[in-house]
Amino acid sequence: MAKFNTRFKSLKTEKAVNYQDLADLLGISVRAVQHYATGSRYPDFEGLIKLADFFNVSLDYLVGRSDERERR
């Protein structure tokens, strides 16, 4: 299964969203979002939920615990 940063980068590319848009969504700096892509930092619980909702995937998929994208 994929790691969070791999899933995050893939979903970001798939949705064609930039770091600034994600930073605005999460209320954090662009640099903090870039750290998510490198795997050097991870979002907090609320950030994970916002990202899963934004990308329309389950939390388990987003964090690499499942290969099924759909929420249940």
Side-chain angles (χ1 to χ4, degrees):
M1 283 185 235
K3 292 183 177 182
F4 168 77
N5 67 312
T6 303
R7 286 275 162 84
F8 176 74
K9 289 187 291 189
S10 176
L11 290 166
K12 179 187 165 299
T13 300
E14 183 180 306
K15 191 146 183 169
V17 63
N18 62 40
Y19 288 121
Q20 183 64 59
D21 292 337
L22 291 170
D24 292 344
L25 170 77
L26 299 171
I28 59 175
S29 71
V30 171
R31 187 68 186 131
V33 177
Q34 291 170 332
H35 282 293
Y36 298 167
T38 65
S40 60
R41 289 191 189 167
Y42 300 96
D44 61 12
F45 185 70
E46 289 180 17
L48 285 171
I49 291 170
K50 286 180 183 179
L51 288 171
D53 288 346
F54 179 77
F55 291 123
N56 197 32
V57 295
S58 70
L59 283 171
D60 281 346
Y61 180 82
L62 182 62
V63 299
R65 289 184 45 156
S66 172
D67 290 330
E68 293 195 30
R69 295 172 68 121
E70 293 184 22
R71 294 187 253 184
R72 295 181 192 236

